[in-house]
Amino acid sequence: MQTKQDENTLIWFTNNLRIHDNSALKKAIKNSNQTIAVYCFDPRQFETSTFGFKKTENYRAQFLIETITDLRQQLNTLNIPLFVYTEKPEHCIPALIKNQAISNIYLQQEWTDEAVFILNEVKKNCPQTISFIESYDQFLFHPEDIPFNTETLPKVFTVFRKQLEKQSSVRPLTHIDSQSTDLKTIENDTKIPTLEDLGLGQISRHPNTAFPFKGGETEALKRLHSYFFETKKLGVYKKTRNGLIGTEFSSKFSPWLANGSLSAKQIYYEVNRFEKEHFKNESTYWLLFELLWRDYFKYVSLKHGNQIFKLGGLLNKNYDWSQDSTKIKQWIDGKTEEPFVNANMLELKKTGWMSNRGRQNVASYFAKTLQLDWRIGASYFESLLIDYDVHSNYGNWMYVAGVGNDPRDRKFNVKLQAERYDTNGKYQRLWLQDTLF
Ligand code: FAD
């Protein structure tokens, strides 16, 4: 129910940590006298998962802290206080809505089990009079605008892509009005936690990191502008995207996209602007092509639900998987027989980042060569990656492990891949210098 002029509304931020192109925020402001905001650092996100890894390690946690710090500043410009808790949402949100006389809660619509469970817990603890208004805001192509329903989602990416490109269009960006400035001041002494508060160790930025950027919408928009309009690297993206070293071989948008401090639509409209102001080529198209992969994995998870976390994946394949802890540890520590795998695994461990080419190789080596239970590799990625995104991570892992959407069951030849993408061994030397070279 979206009534005009509810007394106070709450926007509950989850993975939509931006003020631009945010439809939940727009609706919350439009339908209220006063909007307040909340973000919860849910302690469950920092616990140890089934396979023994912290669900969130310190690189992503630091990125998130920076993101929330920026979000609070952005919201201040709209006169919206951001309450930040290091508590379970089902504990702090009901108390907040009582204290602030909230009538409606606006949030991004999610569908994976964890998110649905938490929302239901919050609902249970709130009065029944509270409405929860959810909007999908994480897609490039909105689920209401696609030419099929989730049940008839094409099994193969190319079919999905072609249908969308022909028959759908991207919605315009959402613009928001700022709140009136003569609202009463709301006291807010809530604090953004530190890594220590979250039970995590400090990090120091590695001099060789390919991702030296900070979290938050402000940084995301800076990067978008720089990659497209300052360095114009967008114009050569297709040629450089398989690179391994440095900031410019690919866009590096994924960490901001993953927590929603940047939207896929914002990127889309900036690509369009670039094409009008400068030129259009294979590269400008290819960045949008990759964003369609991102959408595809979201639709796959919408359709298949928990199947994406199952060993047999979408295909119910029954391979003989091992859980050999020595091999798993060697992979994690960069001590396998393959220097290219090792270099990538060390980069991940020391920075929270790995290129797409690296991810494909280490995942294929884990699942196809070592024949280890792919969910353990995925869980390690979930822990470490700055850009962890449930749909892209599990979707890509299933794909590489041969239980997802790839009609071909492929195994990467890591040696050939290293020769092709790291011909002179520069990347391997960068990360293995202490051990091998
Ligand atoms: P660019 O090459 O600049 O691409 C632009 C954007 O397109 C990316 O930011 C991303 O949103 C999207 N994109 C590109 N490739 C893919 C892809 N294969 N699948 C889905 N979206 C894509 N991506 C994540 O965002 N989070 C993850 O947790 C994640 N886990 C992965 C696990 C494995 C095993 C593999 C093989 C890939 C995974 N990816 C994941 C996809 C991909 O590696 C990253 O999105 C990409 O490396 C991010 O770098 P970039 O932003 O510079 O990408």
Side-chain angles (χ1 to χ4, degrees):
M1 186 182 52
Q2 292 175 38
T3 51
K4 185 85 185 144
Q5 299 308 326
D6 307 321
E7 303 82 57
N8 292 342
T9 56
L10 179 69
I11 167 149
W12 172 12
F13 281 98
T14 54
N15 273 335
N16 55 344
L17 301 171
R18 62 183 183 273
I19 65 164
H20 296 100
D21 194 35
N22 187 327
S23 43
L25 181 60
K26 184 184 174 85
K27 288 180 197 164
I29 294 177
K30 193 166 160 234
N31 296 318
S32 76
N33 291 328
Q34 177 137 32
T35 299
I36 66 166
V38 66
Y39 182 81
C40 307
F41 284 82
D42 186 334
R44 283 171 292 221
Q45 289 304 318
F46 303 92
E47 285 171 358
T48 301
S49 66
T50 327
F51 295 114
F53 309 114
K54 276 230 159 157
K55 255 183 103 57
T56 309
E57 262 299 350
N58 48 12
Y59 292 104
R60 187 164 73 259
Q62 177 62 30
F63 192 79
L64 183 58
I65 290 169
E66 290 161 1
T67 304
I68 298 302
T69 306
D70 186 61
L71 181 66
R72 184 173 254 180
Q73 284 160 5
Q74 298 288 318
L75 287 167
N76 275 344
T77 66
L78 301 172
N79 208 16
I80 297 175
L82 175 65
F83 287 77
V84 179
Y85 298 100
T86 307
E87 275 179 62
K88 290 181 180 169
E90 60 266 35
H91 294 158
C92 55
I93 290 181
L96 184 66
I97 61 168
K98 193 165 170 219
N99 293 340
Q100 301 296 336
I102 299 293
S103 48
N104 288 338
I105 301 182
Y106 293 81
L107 68 156
Q108 177 164 285
Q109 184 154 358
E110 303 285 352
W111 57 91
T112 48
D113 255 12
E114 268 178 25
V116 172
F117 170 81
I118 293 166
L119 176 59
N120 287 338
E121 290 299 293
V122 172
K123 283 183 179 170
K124 268 191 226 160
N125 290 352
C126 286
Q128 288 198 339
T129 50
I130 302 283
S131 304
F132 289 79
I133 298 122
E134 299 173 66
S135 344
Y136 285 123
D137 224 1
Q138 56 277 71
F139 292 88
L140 182 58
F141 288 93
H142 193 283
E144 284 166 17
D145 304 336
I146 56 173
F148 35 76
N149 59 40
T150 40
E151 286 318 303
T152 55
L153 175 75
K155 286 202 173 80
V156 180
F157 170 73
T158 311
V159 180
F160 165 86
R161 174 179 62 79
K162 286 187 177 159
Q163 286 195 19
L164 282 188
E165 286 175 344
K166 256 204 200 129
Q167 298 176 47
S168 296
S169 51
V170 175
R171 291 188 175 185
L173 294 173
T174 306
H175 297 288
I176 43 166
D177 310 314
S178 62
Q179 292 204 108
S180 137
T181 47
D182 56 359
L183 296 172
K184 69 177 179 359
T185 312
I186 296 178
E187 213 173 294
N188 175 13
D189 58 4
T190 58
K191 298 239 170 353
I192 298 172
T194 61
L195 284 178
E196 203 184 350
D197 295 334
L198 300 172
L200 297 166
Q202 291 302 318
I203 51 170
S204 57
R205 179 171 297 161
H206 196 286
N208 298 336
T209 183
F211 193 86
F213 307 104
K214 279 177 72 173
E217 181 172 21
T218 308
E219 289 292 319
L221 295 176
K222 248 195 231 166
R223 172 65 184 170
L224 183 58
H225 185 74
S226 124
Y227 190 73
F228 284 14
F229 297 99
E230 285 168 15
T231 63
K232 299 201 177 58
K233 291 289 181 190
L234 169 62
V236 290
Y237 168 72
K238 186 147 188 271
K239 290 197 190 89
T240 61
R241 57 179 284 274
N242 282 311
L244 303 164
I245 302 175
T247 54
E248 301 304 290
F249 66 81
S250 65
S251 73
K252 307 290 174 5
F253 293 153
S254 55
W256 293 290
L257 280 167
N259 73 20
S261 39
L262 182 67
S263 78
K265 279 159 61 197
Q266 286 174 295
I267 300 172
Y268 174 85
Y269 283 108
E270 285 299 274
V271 171
N272 282 0
R273 184 160 80 86
F274 181 93
E275 288 177 339
K276 273 195 206 108
E277 291 177 8
H278 299 286
F279 52 87
K280 190 173 174 166
N281 65 11
E282 266 192 336
S283 287
T284 57
Y285 166 72
W286 211 262
L287 195 82
L288 300 179
F289 174 98
E290 293 297 340
L291 285 177
L292 277 172
W293 266 113
R294 179 178 175 272
D295 260 19
Y296 187 55
F297 286 125
K298 292 196 182 303
Y299 282 108
V300 165
S301 104
L302 251 179
K303 175 175 176 181
H304 295 279
N306 278 344
Q307 206 64 26
I308 68 168
F309 305 116
K310 300 265 162 67
L311 191 57
L314 309 184
L315 306 174
N316 275 319
K317 284 253 177 165
N318 213 353
Y319 293 117
D320 194 10
W321 301 102
S322 142
Q323 294 203 351
D324 184 322
S325 55
T326 309
K327 286 188 181 155
I328 293 168
K329 189 156 170 14
Q330 286 168 343
W331 180 77
I332 287 175
D333 292 339
K335 292 191 171 145
T336 71
E337 287 171 4
E338 288 295 343
F340 189 56
V341 169
N342 298 345
N344 277 288
M345 293 307 293
L346 290 174
E347 180 184 15
L348 177 62
K349 194 181 221 177
K350 292 178 181 181
T351 68
W353 177 265
M354 192 193 293
S355 68
N356 184 54
R357 184 53 44 188
R359 294 179 203 201
Q360 289 183 325
N361 274 281
V362 304
S364 174
Y365 186 75
F366 187 89
K368 291 292 190 189
T369 304
L370 301 178
Q371 297 179 326
L372 294 166
D373 178 340
W374 66 270
R375 296 168 307 167
I376 301 175
S379 176
Y380 182 66
F381 267 36
E382 171 170 357
S383 175
L384 267 281
L385 279 177
I386 302 183
D387 68 6
Y388 167 69
D389 168 273
V390 57
H391 321 289
S392 287
N393 191 52
Y394 284 86
N396 272 290
W397 267 96
M398 282 192 303
Y399 193 92
V400 176
V403 297
N405 307 79
D406 193 355
R408 305 151 296 178
D409 189 10
R410 289 183 297 171
K411 173 168 155 184
F412 278 73
N413 181 329
V414 176
K415 281 197 190 358
L416 282 184
Q417 289 272 311
E419 273 168 32
R420 179 156 179 209
Y421 295 103
D422 188 30
T423 311
N424 52 23
K426 193 174 169 199
Y427 173 76
Q428 290 165 83
R429 276 195 300 280
L430 192 66
W431 294 103
L432 300 174
Q433 46 205 357
D434 301 335
T435 50
L436 263 182
F437 289 89

